[in-house]
Short mmCIF file of all heavy atoms in Angstrom, two decimals:
data_model
loop_
_atom_site.label_atom_id
_atom_site.label_comp_id
_atom_site.label_asym_id
_atom_site.label_seq_id
_atom_site.Cartn_x
_atom_site.Cartn_y
_atom_site.Cartn_z
N TYR I 443 4.50 19.19 10.04
CA TYR I 443 3.58 19.63 8.90
C TYR I 443 3.46 18.29 8.03
O TYR I 443 2.49 17.77 7.65
CB TYR I 443 4.14 20.67 8.10
CG TYR I 443 3.27 21.13 7.01
CD1 TYR I 443 2.29 21.95 7.11
CD2 TYR I 443 3.59 20.69 5.66
CE1 TYR I 443 1.44 22.42 6.04
CE2 TYR I 443 2.89 21.12 4.54
CZ TYR I 443 1.78 21.93 4.80
OH TYR I 443 1.02 22.23 3.66
N GLY I 444 4.60 17.60 7.83
CA GLY I 444 4.68 16.45 6.91
C GLY I 444 3.97 15.36 7.74
O GLY I 444 3.31 14.50 7.13
N VAL I 445 4.10 15.10 8.96
CA VAL I 445 3.52 14.11 9.86
C VAL I 445 1.96 14.22 9.72
O VAL I 445 1.21 13.22 9.56
CB VAL I 445 3.91 14.12 11.30
CG1 VAL I 445 3.20 13.20 12.06
CG2 VAL I 445 5.46 13.69 11.22
N ILE I 446 1.48 15.49 9.86
CA ILE I 446 -0.03 15.73 9.83
C ILE I 446 -0.50 15.31 8.40
O ILE I 446 -1.62 14.59 8.37
CB ILE I 446 -0.34 17.22 10.05
CG1 ILE I 446 -0.04 17.58 11.48
CG2 ILE I 446 -1.75 17.53 9.68
CD1 ILE I 446 -0.76 16.84 12.58
N LEU I 447 0.13 15.71 7.25
CA LEU I 447 -0.31 15.21 6.05
C LEU I 447 -0.31 13.79 5.84
O LEU I 447 -1.13 13.11 5.12
CB LEU I 447 0.35 15.99 4.89
CG LEU I 447 0.38 17.52 4.80
CD1 LEU I 447 1.30 17.87 3.76
CD2 LEU I 447 -1.08 17.99 4.67
N CYS I 448 0.87 13.23 6.38
CA CYS I 448 0.94 11.74 6.31
C CYS I 448 -0.09 10.94 6.96
O CYS I 448 -0.71 9.98 6.45
CB CYS I 448 2.29 11.38 6.85
SG CYS I 448 2.70 9.66 6.71
N ASN I 449 -0.41 11.49 8.15
CA ASN I 449 -1.44 10.89 8.96
C ASN I 449 -2.92 10.97 8.34
O ASN I 449 -3.67 10.12 8.27
CB ASN I 449 -1.47 11.46 10.33
CG ASN I 449 -2.61 10.87 11.39
OD1 ASN I 449 -2.38 9.66 11.66
ND2 ASN I 449 -3.68 11.60 11.58
N ALA I 450 -3.16 12.17 7.71
CA ALA I 450 -4.48 12.44 7.04
C ALA I 450 -4.59 11.30 6.01
O ALA I 450 -5.56 10.82 5.67
CB ALA I 450 -4.61 13.77 6.58
N ARG I 451 -3.48 11.26 5.15
CA ARG I 451 -3.57 10.30 3.96
C ARG I 451 -3.72 8.91 4.43
O ARG I 451 -4.43 8.01 3.81
CB ARG I 451 -2.39 10.57 3.09
CG ARG I 451 -2.31 9.68 1.81
CD ARG I 451 -3.50 9.84 0.94
NE ARG I 451 -3.60 8.88 -0.20
CZ ARG I 451 -2.99 9.03 -1.35
NH1 ARG I 451 -2.15 10.09 -1.56
NH2 ARG I 451 -2.97 8.13 -2.30
N ALA I 452 -3.00 8.49 5.44
CA ALA I 452 -3.01 7.12 5.98
C ALA I 452 -4.38 6.71 6.39
O ALA I 452 -4.89 5.62 6.07
CB ALA I 452 -1.89 7.04 7.10
N MET I 453 -5.01 7.65 7.05
CA MET I 453 -6.40 7.37 7.60
C MET I 453 -7.58 7.30 6.50
O MET I 453 -8.37 6.69 6.55
CB MET I 453 -6.77 8.25 8.65
CG MET I 453 -6.08 7.99 9.98
SD MET I 453 -6.85 9.02 11.28
CE MET I 453 -5.82 8.44 12.69
N GLY I 454 -7.21 8.22 5.46
CA GLY I 454 -8.30 8.20 4.44
C GLY I 454 -7.89 7.46 3.14
O GLY I 454 -8.77 7.36 2.12
#
Side-chain angles (χ1 to χ4, degrees):
Y443 183 85
V445 168
I446 291 297
L447 295 180
C448 179
N449 181 72
R451 179 61 188 274
M453 289 191 174

